[in-house]
Amino acid sequence: MRVFIFVFIGLWSISVCSQNKETLYDFTDIPQALLLNPGAETNFKFHAGVPFLSQFHVNAGLRGASLFDVFGDDGRNINEKIEQTLNKLTSNDFVTLTQQLELFNFGWQSKKDPNVYFSGGVYQELDLIGYFPKDFAVLAYQGNRDFINRPFRFSTINGSGELLMVYHFGYNKKVSKKLTFGARAKLYSSMLHVRSARNSGTFTTVETPQGNNFYQHIISNADVTLRTSGLASLRELEGENSGKEVVNKLVGRALLGGNLGLGVDVGFTHHIDEQWSLTGSINDFGAILYTKDVETYRARGNFVFEGFETPVQFSGNGDQDFLDELEAAVPLDTLSTTYLTMRPLKLNGSIKYSFNPYEDESCNCSLYGDSPVYRDAFGLQVFSQFRPKRPQYAASLFYYKRIFNFLRAKVTYTIDDYSYNNIGFLLSTHIDKINFYISANNVLEYSNLAKARSVSMQFGFNFIM
């Protein structure tokens, strides 16, 4: 059982990630800023992303511990390090992995109204989050001897994961010299989905010196649910061509053959005056209806048994009677009912002060109206994302520098769920009509990634006119 916890903590440490992409937010020189804020200002007439290269984004990180805490060569016993890490982690620490791959994106300025900009595209997204099951990790690793009368809560089992394709089309309008508004419609096609949340019930060991045994183990009001979509049919595939069949099924679901949903993004940019600007957006306000390839597993009931051992300590030899009694008292039902899940809503906002205007009138690179282009800016960005247990938050101070007409840079200092010393950067180059950008977060930890609590990277190529 200690080996199990060792592997679990190791995989958990590798998998978790930062959720926000605030390094890009409010960076209007890049078309991808429209994905984060459909009301971002646009200073181009047309753009098209290089297929499969216009944006690749992946995050990784850890809240509450690091890989070095468990696997670092510091002379301590591995079991001691696992136990200390286990004691440090809480049920509010979470596992999360986010990855995006933009297949293509495009946009153009309206011929009838130059203040209107249309955009569209398709991207693939993977989003996983799982909260650390503190109670049952302790029970599995340390047993229940030192936890008599302490309830182990099934509510600590909480998480979700989804692989989907997103089709989107956006409308962006410069309403006035000071205000730009935008909205984007989204069509989701889910390929795989797993979710377990709002579980309840407890497992408790109590002393019964007057009974048949010294201890009594009580499963009380257990209600644990696991919803899945898209997995049942994949498990049935066997044989040499099973891998190819899995790919074919996933591609078919990506091409609007999966469980479908609708969503919307809205955003704005408001210039308070010539140098101060305010932006905000709401992303992924929507839901997906799961009707295809659906299986829901639900276990409910109460059970009492006596003895020295708990279920996690059984050897499996001669325990069939116990398992039959447990299954009868807490039956596991398999259902095929339709269910609806909301998308993880995201909120973004920023305030920016620009200064040091260009004095070269030949620059002809104004960002909006007839106002001057500024070489420098600083400001504050905030981010929040709704999650099964509680929202995640991040706040960033940033400094923007237009180094040359073809090169822009942005440096951020972020406070989030993982650390208070997250330094990030973004570089964007414009050579002729080709744009390339690259960004990364938590760069101070790159010298030893094992100690890093979070890392993030994204890059992309675009054609801009």
Side-chain angles (χ1 to χ4, degrees):
M1 195 55 62
R2 292 193 173 197
V3 173
F4 167 79
I5 296 298
F6 171 80
V7 174
F8 180 85
I9 293 178
L11 293 176
W12 181 73
S13 301
I14 294 171
S15 300
V16 298
C17 84
S18 166
Q19 283 298 301
N20 67 80
K21 298 195 293 180
E22 73 279 351
T23 306
L24 267 181
Y25 191 68
D26 202 35
F27 205 118
T28 55
D29 298 303
I30 300 174
Q32 277 69 26
L34 285 169
L35 282 177
L36 297 177
N37 180 9
E41 293 176 306
T42 58
N43 61 337
F44 30 82
K45 297 181 179 180
F46 170 83
H47 82 267
V50 178
F52 295 92
L53 289 176
S54 57
Q55 178 185 234
F56 176 76
H57 169 227
V58 64
N59 293 328
L62 177 60
R63 182 183 187 273
S66 69
L67 283 172
F68 187 84
D69 293 337
V70 177
F71 301 102
D73 185 11
D74 56 5
R76 293 183 297 157
N77 180 274
I78 185 66
N79 290 328
E80 176 187 350
K81 290 189 288 187
I82 293 175
E83 189 162 352
Q84 288 184 356
T85 302
L86 181 63
N87 292 333
K88 181 166 57 174
L89 296 173
T90 73
S91 59
N92 287 324
D93 291 320
F94 47 84
V95 180
T96 167
L97 174 64
T98 299
Q99 171 267 323
Q100 279 188 358
L101 174 63
E102 204 167 50
L103 277 65
F104 62 90
N105 78 86
F106 55 89
W108 71 96
Q109 188 181 73
S110 171
K111 293 183 179 180
K112 294 182 178 180
D113 186 352
N115 292 320
V116 173
Y117 195 83
F118 298 102
S119 63
V122 181
Y123 65 89
Q124 166 267 321
E125 181 176 303
L126 172 67
D127 184 30
L128 303 173
I129 182 167
Y131 291 86
F132 186 67
K134 173 75 172 186
D135 286 12
F136 288 95
V138 170
L139 180 63
Y141 188 78
Q142 299 179 350
N144 61 338
R145 183 182 60 182
D146 298 327
F147 303 99
I148 305 302
N149 298 320
R150 168 183 164 176
F152 292 89
R153 302 159 297 162
F154 288 104
S155 60
T156 61
I157 301 173
N158 197 317
S160 68
E162 184 150 40
L163 176 65
L164 74 162
M165 196 72 73
V166 182
Y167 298 80
H168 60 90
F169 185 81
Y171 172 87
N172 177 283
K173 180 175 177 60
K174 181 181 172 184
V175 180
S176 67
K177 199 171 182 180
K178 290 188 175 183
L179 178 64
T180 300
F181 172 80
R184 175 170 44 251
K186 288 183 173 180
L187 175 61
Y188 307 110
S189 185
S190 175
M191 294 177 270
L192 296 170
H193 180 256
V194 178
R195 181 180 176 88
S196 182
R198 298 181 180 178
N199 299 310
S200 61
T202 58
F203 169 79
T204 311
T205 299
V206 299
E207 291 182 327
T208 56
Q210 306 303 322
N212 296 328
N213 289 283
F214 286 105
Y215 298 102
Q216 191 176 71
H217 311 288
I218 304 170
I219 297 176
S220 178
N221 299 318
D223 190 347
V224 180
T225 301
L226 174 65
R227 289 187 170 125
T228 72
S229 176
L231 293 179
S233 61
L234 298 184
R235 290 200 310 268
E236 298 172 357
L237 299 177
E238 297 179 355
E240 295 181 359
N241 296 323
S242 60
K244 183 178 179 180
E245 292 178 15
V246 168
V247 173
N248 290 337
K249 279 185 174 290
L250 293 179
V251 170
R253 295 170 187 175
L255 299 175
L256 301 180
N259 290 286
L260 301 180
L262 295 174
V264 65
D265 303 342
V266 293
F268 72 91
T269 299
H270 173 62
H271 287 275
I272 302 170
D273 58 27
E274 190 175 276
Q275 293 179 269
W276 284 96
S277 62
L278 182 70
T279 65
S281 69
I282 299 174
N283 293 49
D284 284 316
F285 180 72
I288 298 177
L289 181 64
Y290 301 91
T291 61
K292 304 174 183 178
D293 201 10
V294 173
E295 281 191 348
T296 297
Y297 307 96
R298 188 174 187 181
R300 292 181 293 174
N302 301 276
F303 187 54
V304 178
F305 61 100
E306 297 180 338
F308 289 97
E309 296 181 314
T310 65
V312 296
Q313 295 170 314
F314 287 155
S315 63
N317 299 322
D319 297 324
Q320 190 59 47
D321 291 342
F322 164 79
L323 296 176
D324 291 341
E325 292 178 10
L326 177 61
E327 185 176 356
V330 189
L332 178 62
D333 299 322
T334 303
L335 310 173
S336 299
T337 54
T338 297
Y339 64 95
L340 182 75
T341 298
M342 298 295 294
R343 294 289 296 145
L345 185 69
K346 306 174 186 69
L347 305 176
N348 290 289
S350 76
I351 186 167
K352 180 176 69 175
Y353 176 76
S354 303
F355 60 100
N356 191 15
Y358 264 96
E359 297 179 357
D360 184 3
E361 296 182 356
S362 65
C363 173
N364 191 27
C365 45
S366 177
L367 289 178
Y368 66 98
D370 298 322
S371 300
V373 171
Y374 293 94
R375 300 173 186 264
D376 301 87
F378 63 82
L380 171 68
Q381 299 166 190
V382 292
F383 167 86
S384 179
Q385 180 174 7
F386 284 45
R387 284 307 195 177
K389 291 187 71 172
R390 66 172 182 85
Q392 293 174 236
Y393 301 99
S396 300
L397 295 172
F398 69 87
Y399 172 67
Y400 166 89
K401 177 68 177 179
R402 190 165 185 150
I403 303 173
F404 304 107
N405 193 34
F406 67 90
L407 180 63
R408 291 88 164 181
K410 185 176 183 180
V411 178
T412 63
Y413 168 73
T414 301
I415 296 175
D416 55 22
D417 284 306
Y418 308 103
S419 70
Y420 298 120
N421 58 351
N422 186 339
I423 304 296
F425 77 93
L426 184 145
L427 289 176
S428 174
T429 63
H430 294 257
I431 301 176
D432 196 8
K433 294 179 175 63
I434 302 299
N435 162 247
F436 169 73
Y437 72 89
I438 183 171
S439 73
N441 282 349
N442 218 359
V443 295
L444 298 181
E445 302 288 352
Y446 278 40
S447 60
N448 189 344
L449 291 179
K451 292 184 177 181
R453 297 294 178 89
S454 65
V455 292
S456 173
M457 184 272 294
Q458 56 188 313
F459 65 86
F461 291 86
N462 297 282
F463 177 77
I464 300 176
M465 294 181 62

